[in-house]
Amino acid sequence: MGKDYWKKPLLALGLVAGILAGCAGEESSGDNGGGADGPGNITVYSPETPDFTKELASKFEEVNGGKVDVQYAGTNILVNRMMAEKDNPQGDVWYGGGGILTFEANADKGIIGAYVPDEAKDWEVVEDGIKLKHEDDKYVGVEVFVLGFAYNTDLVKKEEAPKTWDDLLDPKWKGKIQFANPAASGTSTLMVLNQMMQRGESEGWEYMEKLVDQANSMPDSGSAPTKAVAMGEAHIAVGFDFMAYEAKAKGETVDFVVPDKTPILVNPISMVEGAPNEKGAKEFVDFMLSKDAQQILADWYHIPINPEVESKTPLTLENVKSHAVDLDIDWVNKNYDKVRNEWKEKFQ
């Protein structure tokens, strides 16, 4: 998927993941199903920011018609809901969740249907260390997330900001770092898993023990550490890029560092297995790769996957690729729960 690839007329590397299935319409009336005259009623399950996903829903309705009901909850709550609804699915689309790991962990549990838009049929599954879509079409990426370091520009000079994961262990940052609790946050689970993969489990746990000693707080929310940096309650925070750039755009004294080698993930979207409105679900997934949707992603400081849409931050898919580490997805799937449980045993 190099530069020549993007010369195709319709581009979209999806990373928007998450349309939450809400209340199903009356089955007897068939109101949920998309008919020949439109996409019908579409229920989207998503843990992404409610105002952001509602903007996407409104644009879809404007362009395609139909009605989109976005139902918001945390990623784990949504997954549990889809599992409980397996025999009678109520949602049509699942969008987002902090990247691909939760989608990977649930790809074979009967809650994700197979669908990838035509624009993504020829994508490589993995390019430059970034997995763009599922090998069996269970999800497609619609945007790019970078795990890195937010810092308070009043408290930390740009040249002094950490540039690598090892830099976080510098004694000068003791008591000045925040990252989310990995037992509750997918953002920090990714951080821990990455350390295990890059260093080996033994050295990875040693690293995390040292990092815990550097922290002044480990809140449950993945976005809370970046907010703490904006408020001056921490000098450095571990989080995703868009969290920092959204704060910066609001006038907060926050900036962001892409570490030398770090996880870079697409944020996916999937059709729910057995979606009551399969036609509408497919149309919504297609929409997320369109320029209309990608522009909304960019306006919310997410990195668009479509190169025809300009990023509102210094980061683009092309310029972050060189920072990506290869993530062993099979290892992640086997060890995701194990690592979270070990974290609880060691630190809670």
Side-chain angles (χ1 to χ4, degrees), residues 32-61:
N32 258 18
D37 57 344
N41 296 337
I42 305 166
T43 299
V44 172
Y45 291 160
S46 181
E48 303 298 334
T49 305
D51 287 346
F52 162 61
T53 49
K54 286 176 183 175
E55 188 173 337
L56 288 166
S58 295
K59 176 57 74 171
F60 177 89
E61 293 170 356

Side-chain angles (χ1 to χ4, degrees), residues 267-343:
N267 198 32
I269 191 166
S270 295
M271 182 174 69
V272 174
E273 178 70 30
N277 183 359
E278 181 176 320
K279 175 179 180 291
K282 290 179 178 178
E283 287 190 34
F284 194 89
V285 174
D286 291 345
F287 164 75
M288 287 302 292
L289 297 181
S290 72
K291 287 182 70 174
D292 283 331
Q294 293 280 298
Q295 186 61 59
I296 292 172
L297 299 181
D299 289 344
W300 280 79
Y301 309 101
H302 297 204
I303 302 173
I305 216 156
N306 183 338
E308 290 189 349
V309 175
E310 185 176 354
S311 176
K312 293 293 183 69
T313 81
L315 308 184
T316 67
L317 175 62
E318 287 301 319
N319 69 24
V320 300
K321 282 181 179 179
S322 62
H323 293 266
V325 295
D326 288 322
L327 296 175
D328 185 340
I329 299 299
D330 289 337
W331 186 91
V332 168
N333 289 339
K334 292 175 183 176
N335 291 277
Y336 190 88
D337 290 335
K338 172 177 172 277
V339 166
R340 293 188 87 162
N341 289 334
E342 284 192 41
W343 175 273

Side-chain angles (χ1 to χ4, degrees), residues 130-341:
I130 303 173
K131 188 169 185 180
L132 301 176
K133 65 178 182 178
H134 190 262
E135 56 272 18
D136 295 323
D137 293 347
K138 293 296 183 73
Y139 66 74
V140 62
V142 295
E143 59 194 330
V144 180
F145 289 169
V146 178
L147 188 66
F149 315 139
Y151 67 97
N152 185 301
T153 54
D154 281 345
L155 301 174
V156 180
K157 295 179 181 178
K158 183 176 182 178
E159 58 271 19
E160 294 179 345
K163 305 299 189 297
T164 70
W165 288 94
D166 284 334
D167 287 347
L168 295 181
L169 303 184
D170 191 309
K172 70 182 179 182
W173 303 126
K174 188 172 180 63
K176 299 177 180 179
I177 293 176
Q178 282 196 23
F179 57 88
N181 173 13
S185 163
T187 303
S188 279
T189 301
L190 172 62
M191 173 184 68
V192 178
L193 289 166
N194 179 55
Q195 297 305 320
M196 303 293 112
M197 285 184 281
Q198 304 307 316
R199 303 171 189 270
E201 290 191 52
S202 179
E203 288 189 17
W205 283 121
E206 289 178 11
Y207 173 87
M208 291 311 307
E209 288 173 3
K210 293 175 183 177
L211 189 59
V212 167
D213 287 341
Q214 297 283 83
N216 65 30
S217 181
M218 292 183 289
D220 284 347
S221 167
S223 61
T226 299
K227 293 176 182 177
V229 162
M231 297 173 66
E233 295 173 357
H235 288 53
I236 307 291
V238 176
F240 285 122
D241 57 300
F242 66 88
M243 300 171 180
Y245 288 118
E246 185 176 338
K248 184 177 182 180
K250 292 177 179 177
E252 305 287 359
T253 54
V254 176
D255 213 336
F256 186 77
V257 173
V258 180
D260 181 39
K261 290 297 180 183
T262 196
I264 296 175
L265 307 175
V266 295
N267 198 32
I269 191 166
S270 295
M271 182 174 69
V272 174
E273 178 70 30
N277 183 359
E278 181 176 320
K279 175 179 180 291
K282 290 179 178 178
E283 287 190 34
F284 194 89
V285 174
D286 291 345
F287 164 75
M288 287 302 292
L289 297 181
S290 72
K291 287 182 70 174
D292 283 331
Q294 293 280 298
Q295 186 61 59
I296 292 172
L297 299 181
D299 289 344
W300 280 79
Y301 309 101
H302 297 204
I303 302 173
I305 216 156
N306 183 338
E308 290 189 349
V309 175
E310 185 176 354
S311 176
K312 293 293 183 69
T313 81
L315 308 184
T316 67
L317 175 62
E318 287 301 319
N319 69 24
V320 300
K321 282 181 179 179
S322 62
H323 293 266
V325 295
D326 288 322
L327 296 175
D328 185 340
I329 299 299
D330 289 337
W331 186 91
V332 168
N333 289 339
K334 292 175 183 176
N335 291 277
Y336 190 88
D337 290 335
K338 172 177 172 277
V339 166
R340 293 188 87 162
N341 289 334

